[in-house]
Coordinates of all heavy atoms in Angstrom, one line a residue:
S16 N 171.9 167.1 73.0 CA 172.6 167.9 72.0 C 171.6 168.4 70.9 O 170.6 167.7 70.7 CB 173.7 167.1 71.3 OG 174.7 166.7 72.2
S17 N 171.9 169.5 70.4 CA 171.1 170.0 69.2 C 171.5 169.3 68.0 O 172.8 169.0 67.8 CB 171.3 171.5 69.0 OG 170.9 172.3 70.1
L18 N 170.6 169.0 67.1 CA 171.0 168.2 65.9 C 171.5 169.1 64.8 O 171.1 170.3 64.6 CB 169.7 167.5 65.3 CG 169.0 166.5 66.3 CD1 167.9 165.8 65.6 CD2 169.9 165.6 66.9
H19 N 172.5 168.6 64.1 CA 173.2 169.3 63.0 C 173.1 168.5 61.7 O 172.7 167.3 61.8 CB 174.6 169.6 63.4 CG 174.8 170.5 64.5 ND1 174.7 171.9 64.6 CD2 175.0 170.2 65.9 CE1 174.9 172.4 65.7 NE2 175.1 171.4 66.6
K20 N 173.7 169.0 60.7 CA 173.6 168.3 59.4 C 174.6 167.1 59.5 O 175.7 167.2 60.1 CB 174.2 169.2 58.3 CG 174.2 168.5 56.9 CD 174.7 169.6 55.9 CE 174.7 168.9 54.5 NZ 175.2 169.8 53.4
K21 N 174.2 166.0 59.0 CA 175.1 164.8 59.1 C 176.3 165.0 58.3 O 176.3 165.5 57.2 CB 174.3 163.6 58.5 CG 175.1 162.2 58.6 CD 174.2 161.1 58.1 CE 174.0 161.1 56.6 NZ 175.2 160.9 55.8
L22 N 177.5 164.6 58.9 CA 178.8 164.6 58.2 C 178.8 163.6 57.1 O 178.2 162.5 57.2 CB 179.9 164.4 59.2 CG 180.1 165.4 60.4 CD1 181.2 164.8 61.3 CD2 180.3 166.7 59.9
E23 N 179.5 163.9 56.0 CA 179.6 163.1 54.9 C 180.3 161.7 55.2 O 180.0 160.7 54.6 CB 180.3 163.7 53.7 CG 179.6 164.8 53.1 CD 180.3 165.4 51.9 OE1 181.4 164.9 51.5 OE2 179.8 166.4 51.3
C24 N 181.1 161.7 56.2 CA 181.9 160.5 56.6 C 181.0 159.6 57.4 O 181.4 158.4 57.7 CB 183.1 160.9 57.4 SG 182.8 161.8 58.9
N25 N 179.9 160.0 57.9 CA 178.9 159.2 58.7 C 177.8 158.7 57.8 O 177.2 159.4 57.0 CB 178.4 160.1 59.8 CG 179.4 160.4 60.8 OD1 180.4 159.7 61.0 ND2 179.3 161.5 61.5
S26 N 177.4 157.4 58.1 CA 176.2 156.8 57.4 C 175.0 156.9 58.3 O 173.8 156.8 57.9 CB 176.5 155.4 57.0 OG 176.7 154.6 58.1
R27 N 175.2 157.0 59.7 CA 174.1 157.0 60.6 C 173.6 158.5 60.9 O 174.5 159.3 61.1 CB 174.5 156.3 61.9 CG 175.1 154.9 61.7 CD 174.2 154.0 61.0 NE 174.9 152.7 60.7 CZ 174.8 151.7 61.5 NH1 174.1 151.7 62.6 NH2 175.5 150.5 61.2
Q28 N 172.3 158.6 61.0 CA 171.7 159.9 61.1 C 172.0 160.5 62.5 O 172.2 159.8 63.5 CB 170.2 159.8 60.9 CG 169.8 159.5 59.5 CD 170.2 160.6 58.5 OE1 170.2 161.8 58.8 NE2 170.7 160.1 57.3
P29 N 172.1 161.9 62.6 CA 172.2 162.5 63.9 C 171.2 162.2 64.9 O 170.0 162.0 64.5 CB 172.2 164.1 63.5 CG 172.6 164.1 62.1 CD 172.0 162.8 61.5
D30 N 171.5 162.2 66.2 CA 170.6 162.1 67.3 C 171.1 162.9 68.4 O 172.1 163.6 68.3 CB 170.3 160.6 67.7 CG 171.6 159.9 68.0 OD1 172.5 160.6 68.7 OD2 171.8 158.7 67.7
R31 N 170.3 162.9 69.5 CA 170.7 163.8 70.6 C 172.0 163.4 71.3 O 172.5 164.2 72.1 CB 169.6 163.7 71.7 CG 168.2 164.3 71.1 CD 168.3 165.8 70.7 NE 167.0 166.2 70.2 CZ 166.8 167.5 69.7 NH1 167.8 168.3 69.6 NH2 165.6 167.8 69.3
W32 N 172.5 162.2 71.1 CA 173.8 161.7 71.7 C 174.9 161.9 70.6 O 176.1 162.0 71.0 CB 173.7 160.4 72.1 CG 172.7 160.1 73.2 CD1 173.1 160.1 74.6 CD2 171.3 159.9 73.2 NE1 172.0 159.9 75.4 CE2 170.9 159.8 74.6 CE3 170.4 159.8 72.2 CZ2 169.5 159.6 74.9 CZ3 169.1 159.7 72.5 CH2 168.7 159.5 73.9
N33 N 174.5 162.0 69.3 CA 175.6 162.0 68.3 C 175.1 163.1 67.3 O 174.5 162.8 66.3 CB 175.7 160.7 67.6 CG 176.2 159.6 68.5 OD1 177.3 159.6 69.0 ND2 175.2 158.8 68.9
P34 N 175.3 164.4 67.7 CA 174.6 165.5 66.9 C 175.1 165.6 65.4 O 174.3 166.3 64.7 CB 175.0 166.8 67.7 CG 176.3 166.4 68.4 CD 176.1 164.9 68.7
F35 N 176.1 165.0 65.0 CA 176.6 165.0 63.6 C 176.4 163.7 62.9 O 177.0 163.5 61.9 CB 178.0 165.6 63.5 CG 178.2 167.0 64.1 CD1 178.6 167.1 65.4 CD2 177.9 168.1 63.3 CE1 178.7 168.4 66.0 CE2 178.1 169.4 63.9 CZ 178.5 169.5 65.2
G36 N 175.8 162.8 63.6 CA 175.7 161.4 63.1 C 176.8 160.6 63.6 O 177.7 161.0 64.4
Y37 N 176.9 159.3 63.2 CA 178.0 158.5 63.6 C 178.2 157.4 62.6 O 177.4 157.2 61.7 CB 177.7 157.9 64.9 CG 176.5 157.0 65.1 CD1 176.7 155.6 65.0 CD2 175.2 157.5 65.2 CE1 175.6 154.7 65.2 CE2 174.1 156.6 65.3 CZ 174.3 155.2 65.3 OH 173.2 154.5 65.4
E38 N 179.3 156.6 62.8 CA 179.7 155.6 61.9 C 180.3 154.4 62.6 O 181.0 154.6 63.7 CB 180.8 156.1 60.9 CG 181.1 155.1 59.8 CD 179.9 154.7 59.0 OE1 179.5 155.4 58.1 OE2 179.4 153.6 59.3
I39 N 180.0 153.2 62.1 CA 180.7 152.0 62.7 C 182.1 151.9 62.2 O 182.4 152.0 61.0 CB 179.9 150.7 62.3 CG1 178.5 150.8 62.7 CG2 180.6 149.5 62.8 CD1 178.3 150.9 64.2
C40 N 183.1 151.8 63.2 CA 184.5 151.8 62.8 C 185.1 150.5 63.0 O 186.2 150.1 62.4 CB 185.2 152.9 63.5 SG 185.2 152.8 65.3

């Protein structure tokens, strides 16, 4: 995936598997 700006709801930075970042739920 292409990297995009991290979403405000996510604390983890974007990577090639999670292009908008990710969060522990």
Side-chain angles (χ1 to χ4, degrees):
S16 296
S17 299
L18 302 188
H19 298 276
K20 182 180 179 181
K21 179 175 71 67
L22 299 177
E23 290 184 4
C24 59
N25 293 331
S26 63
R27 309 301 176 93
Q28 292 298 320
D30 56 40
R31 298 296 182 184
W32 291 268
N33 304 285
F35 299 94
Y37 64 100
E38 187 57 83
I39 301 299
C40 60

